[in-house]
Amino acid sequence: MKIASIELFVIQMPLKSPFLTHLGAVNNREGIIVKVTDSDGLSGYGEGVAFSTPWYTEETVATSLHMLTDILIPLLQKHPIDHPEEASHLFSSIRRNNMAKAALETALWDLYAKVNTKPLSKILGGTRPVIASGVVVATDSTANALRQIEQYLIEGYQRIKVKINPNQDYSFLAEIRSHYPELPIMADANSAYSLKDIDRLKALDEFNLIMIEQPLAHDDIIEHALLQKEIRTPICLDESIVTFDDARKALEFGSCKVINIKVGRIGGLYEAIRIHDYCFEKGIPVWCGGMIEFGISRAHNIALASLPGFSIPGDISASSRFWEEDIISPEVAVDNGYIHVPLNSGIGYELNEKRLQEVLLTKRSFTFS
């Protein structure tokens, strides 16, 4: 892999409808698209999935742009690599900033797959020709939630995730369950609870949820282990897992029975594969979480979710879930609840250059000698 240039595109698009959690509302999505081009003119694409403000993790679009511009890309300029795994090792000297690392690392994986004329899914070890698709319902109204669920089931989605918090949990889930007694449902708390809420969380066991995601503090492993002993519903960890060692320790402590793998949160595809392989060996189900992504990150998630351990439908929905028009061609489509894993080399989707220019805020370019 002889890199000739790297380009960063900061873009912003409005969501079709607000994405609501107890932490805030997302109406417009800002992000970073990374384009890495080699000496033969082949280009790989990655996406920085940090938000504009640090409500999910400490990273933001601005901090990611700084890390890419001033730290990670110069590091890659000084230390050429032959394989994307080497980028993960190279970036390990920099603490955290995983979403910035993943933005660049995933672009390198796409380029590597294209150089080898193979689908990224096959490069990663994927085995599935199609992946099951789930979707998130994020609203502060039970009526809106029921309307959204009805429409998503018509569209074929196989699993529904709902956002909960102490002001919207038991009665909210009870109403949904009364309408859909057999529907596969999971609840995402985004750290809205504490151990003082054990009885409240125990009460949710009656709804036979697939899991409850990150009920306690965003950086906790210990208290989740205490909670898991008290509730029947499987706990899934999301924000607490930012490295392979976090996943290993969480499983050793009994902090969870499921792990959500988000490529951006853990620093890239190399670390995602390590966590997947470890969980697969231990018989722990994993699934691919979403970050209100544009099409580039969505395409990387499709490739990752084709690995055999991803046994639960992920938050990988159609492009039309969030966007009037995505930045890839063709757009991601859900067919009877499934997404077909591309057979073309790399991520299998092309960048929609016209759309990119329409939503572009700023661009930065870097050359390699």
Side-chain angles (χ1 to χ4, degrees):
M1 294 175 68
K2 184 169 177 55
I3 299 172
S5 66
I6 294 180
E7 296 170 276
L8 305 178
F9 305 88
V10 181
I11 64 174
Q12 180 174 284
M13 287 203 297
L15 275 68
K16 291 169 70 173
S17 59
F19 188 88
L20 305 176
T21 75
H22 76 282
L23 297 171
V26 179
N27 295 287
N28 294 284
R29 184 61 160 112
E30 192 180 8
I32 303 172
I33 304 301
V34 179
K35 178 180 181 181
V36 179
T37 303
D38 72 3
S39 56
D40 293 323
L42 288 174
S43 296
Y45 298 94
E47 180 178 326
V49 297
F51 291 95
S52 302
T53 57
W55 66 271
Y56 175 70
T57 71
E58 70 278 6
E59 287 184 79
T60 67
V61 172
T63 64
S64 291
L65 190 61
H66 155 60
M67 288 301 302
L68 286 162
T69 299
D70 299 326
I71 307 295
L72 298 176
I73 291 175
L75 195 59
L76 200 57
Q77 288 173 320
K78 293 177 183 177
H79 302 279
I81 63 169
D82 294 316
H83 192 282
E85 287 184 11
E86 297 173 36
S88 183
H89 298 308
L90 181 63
F91 298 159
S92 66
S93 62
I94 309 301
R95 294 190 179 183
R96 302 292 288 234
N97 294 284
N98 284 348
M99 292 181 178
K101 293 175 182 178
L104 183 50
E105 191 246 28
T106 52
L108 294 168
W109 276 105
D110 182 30
L111 177 59
Y112 180 79
K114 288 172 178 171
V115 168
N116 287 276
T117 62
K118 292 182 179 180
L120 178 60
S121 60
K122 298 303 182 185
I123 292 286
L124 299 180
T127 57
R128 289 190 174 92
V130 296
I131 62 167
S133 180
V135 71
V136 183
V137 171
T139 178
D140 57 3
S141 162
T142 304
N144 284 340
L146 290 171
R147 279 194 292 270
Q148 289 182 33
I149 291 170
E150 181 181 12
Q151 181 58 42
Y152 292 143
L153 293 179
I154 291 172
E155 294 172 15
Y157 287 102
Q158 298 192 29
R159 182 232 71 202
I160 301 293
K161 182 169 85 172
V162 295
K163 297 286 186 177
I164 64 169
N165 62 74
N167 296 315
Q168 181 177 281
D169 50 21
Y170 185 89
S171 59
F172 178 65
L173 289 168
E175 186 69 14
I176 293 173
R177 220 5 133 209
S178 70
H179 284 77
Y180 301 100
E182 304 299 326
L183 178 65
I185 299 174
M186 53 191 287
D188 185 2
N190 287 117
S191 306
Y193 300 86
S194 73
L195 284 180
K196 296 178 182 178
D197 299 307
I198 282 181
D199 289 340
R200 189 180 198 101
L201 293 168
K202 275 184 179 180
L204 305 184
D205 282 343
E206 72 175 79
F207 300 121
N208 296 314
L209 302 173
I210 302 172
M211 69 191 79
I212 180 169
E213 186 178 1
Q214 199 71 36
L216 306 181
H218 72 280
D219 56 355
D220 171 74
I221 288 177
I222 302 300
E223 291 190 345
H224 277 99
L226 299 175
L227 176 62
Q228 184 65 92
K229 292 177 181 177
E230 298 294 327
I231 65 174
R232 189 173 69 250
T233 304
I235 290 175
C236 170
L237 288 183
D238 176 358
E239 292 96 325
S240 292
I241 308 300
V242 297
T243 66
F244 169 82
D245 281 336
D246 289 336
R248 177 183 58 80
K249 292 172 185 176
L251 295 181
E252 287 179 358
F253 289 146
S255 307
C256 63
K257 296 180 180 179
V258 185
I259 287 182
N260 172 348
I261 299 179
K262 290 181 179 175
V263 176
R265 192 193 69 235
I266 58 177
L269 287 167
Y270 174 69
E271 199 79 345
I273 294 167
R274 291 184 69 208
I275 294 173
H276 163 273
D277 291 351
Y278 181 79
C279 291
F280 192 50
E281 179 185 333
K282 299 291 183 182
I284 301 297
V286 299
W287 60 284
C288 189
M291 290 287 293
I292 316 179
E293 290 114 332
F294 303 112
I296 298 298
S297 182
R298 201 171 293 258
H300 281 282
N301 289 345
I302 293 169
L304 179 64
S306 71
L307 271 66
F310 285 86
S311 56
I312 299 172
D315 290 338
I316 309 174
S317 52
S319 292
S320 59
R321 162 70 175 92
F322 293 120
W323 318 118
E324 293 293 347
E325 183 181 3
D326 206 343
I327 60 167
I328 58 168
S329 179
E331 295 192 353
V332 175
V334 175
D335 182 11
N336 291 321
Y338 291 91
I339 296 172
H340 292 271
V341 179
L343 299 176
N344 299 333
S345 64
I347 57 174
Y349 296 85
E350 299 295 328
L351 186 68
N352 182 336
E353 298 279 358
K354 178 177 178 293
R355 183 58 173 160
L356 181 73
Q357 293 303 316
E358 290 173 348
V359 298
L360 182 64
L361 298 179
T362 185
K363 175 184 174 183
R364 298 185 185 182
S365 302
F366 307 81
T367 57
F368 284 60
S369 58

